[in-house]
Amino acid sequence: MLPSHQTERLVADTAGIARAAQLLANGGLVALPTETVYGLAADAGDDRAVARIFEAKGRPRFNPLIVHLTGAEAAARYVQWTDEADRLASAFWPGALTLVLPLRAGHGLSPLVTAGLETVALRVPAHPVARQVLAAAARPVAAPSANPSGRISPTTAAHVLAGLDGRIDAVLDGGACTVGVESTILGLWDVPRLLRPGGIPAEAIEAALGMPLAGPDASPSDGPSAPGQLASHYAPGAPVRLEADGPRPGELFLGFGPMDADLNLSPGGDMLEAAANLFGHLHRLDARGAPIAVAPIPERGLGLAINDRLRRAAAPRD
Ligand code: TXA
Ligand code: MG
């Protein structure tokens, strides 16, 4: 999005909610109220729309985003639903609880939403305006807090505009958020883990589950976990070489800009397109099982987040 973009101020009436849903369906960015904080929403199935979230926030790295849904029935379409998830959803959804669960095959979410991980964070917000937008949009919506990277989370439409005016398509004004802190995040891929404290107290979750919550990191006493799901960062299985002029024998080449390559992040050198393609292309090349060489990506705009991710992928591992 161009910094000169006009940000629409929407009132949370029937017309404003319909407009927000229409913008989302067209790949737009809409800041909307939830009971915790304002979220910067985009269609979670649209690579380009999700890339625009990172561009608007000026995030120097891609971290996985929370997908917002209308209810537990919708959630079960995207993840491997469990009895524990069901118990927690009955107790706390709609509300300030986010559940991280293993993805189902054919989920259709952008790999940029999950930062290439095999799990996804899901939440059903309680705010009536958020619920109406989700129902009208009829699609899963990715939404981090609607603030520029490094700034505090917004709890009013004025906070959103102070940080993002001119960088997003619209803000839907639903008044002040009542909870005021982000949702509590629970990992449910092995034992229930508290990944981030938030609006729902850990004690209430432990009471609903009838067991204590583990910490974010697996320790040996926690038993085995599925590989790749605990890792906070996706990395290809094969070695990755950066700043490559071209492939060496046996390497697959991931290009950027006009050049011959096995796959190209953006033949036209467009950062938004490159970000949108990043995880999908890495997964596709990784599936071919050969080392990957990557063309240089300029260190500007979304290039910072792209290069951060590529450097992690290329870092030495055990
Ligand atoms: O209350 C909230 O949760 C707000 C409102 C807008 O819903 N959203 C929010 O999103 O706080 P965000 O992007 O600021 O925080 C998302 C957090 C990140 O810290 C990320 O690490 C974690 O969720 N997360 C997302 N997906 C994950 C995954 N697959 N595994 C582990 N952590 C994940
Ligand atoms: Mg945030």
Side-chain angles (χ1 to χ4, degrees):
M1 165 146 336
L2 299 173
S4 62
H5 198 87
Q6 188 75 34
T7 298
E8 295 177 31
R9 274 78 167 156
L10 301 175
V11 181
D13 57 11
T14 311
I17 284 160
R19 176 66 180 150
Q22 179 191 45
L23 286 166
L24 290 172
N26 291 329
L29 295 187
V30 181
L32 49 84
T34 82
E35 71 279 22
T36 59
V37 300
Y38 273 72
L40 183 56
D43 180 347
D46 181 336
D47 292 329
R48 237 184 131 82
V50 177
R52 290 179 68 201
I53 290 179
F54 292 96
E55 185 184 49
K57 286 179 65 89
R59 258 192 190 174
R61 57 181 57 95
F62 296 121
N63 49 346
L65 304 177
I66 297 171
V67 174
H68 297 68
L69 302 162
T70 50
E73 318 71 49
R77 268 184 240 145
Y78 302 101
V79 294
Q80 298 164 39
W81 198 243
T82 65
D83 289 345
E84 266 165 9
D86 215 46
R87 207 171 325 152
L88 291 167
S90 304
F92 300 109
W93 279 359
L97 179 68
T98 294
L99 301 178
V100 179
L101 287 150
L103 282 162
R104 269 173 71 155
H107 53 78
L109 300 171
S110 168
L112 205 49
V113 166
T114 63
L117 297 173
E118 295 156 43
T119 54
V120 66
L122 303 178
R123 171 159 116 77
V124 175
H127 197 293
V129 174
R131 296 181 65 71
Q132 289 171 73
V133 173
L134 289 170
R139 67 195 67 234
V141 162
S145 51
N147 51 283
S149 179
R151 305 261 292 273
I152 57 170
S153 295
T155 53
T156 66
H159 293 167
V160 173
L161 287 168
L164 295 175
D165 196 7
R167 304 182 62 82
I168 62 178
D169 294 296
V171 59
L172 184 57
D173 190 346
C177 304
T178 52
V179 176
V181 296
E182 282 95 340
S183 61
T184 303
I185 304 183
L186 278 195
L188 290 181
W189 57 79
D190 57 353
V191 294
R193 297 177 181 285
L194 182 63
L195 303 182
R196 178 178 78 180
I200 305 274
E203 295 74 16
I205 295 165
E206 291 180 329
L209 279 175
M211 66 164 96
L213 294 174
D217 296 311
S219 68
S221 62
D222 290 324
S225 326
Q229 294 185 343
L230 268 187
S232 55
H233 302 295
Y234 161 75
V240 176
R241 184 169 68 84
L242 304 182
E243 309 278 330
D245 295 331
R248 294 176 184 155
E251 283 181 337
L252 294 166
F253 189 45
L254 180 59
F256 175 84
M259 60 182 71
D260 282 337
D262 293 280
L263 287 175
N264 198 314
L265 289 170
S266 172
D270 172 28
M271 288 300 188
L272 197 62
E273 182 182 20
N277 283 329
L278 179 65
F279 289 104
H281 279 12
L282 282 174
H283 275 292
R284 266 171 231 124
L285 291 177
D286 196 20
R288 291 165 63 176
I292 301 167
V294 186
I297 315 288
E299 192 78 0
R300 60 177 160 79
L302 279 171
L304 270 63
I306 295 171
N307 282 319
D308 170 75
R309 185 56 58 168
L310 288 170
R311 280 191 289 270
R312 290 166 195 267
R317 24 201 144 110
D318 320 319

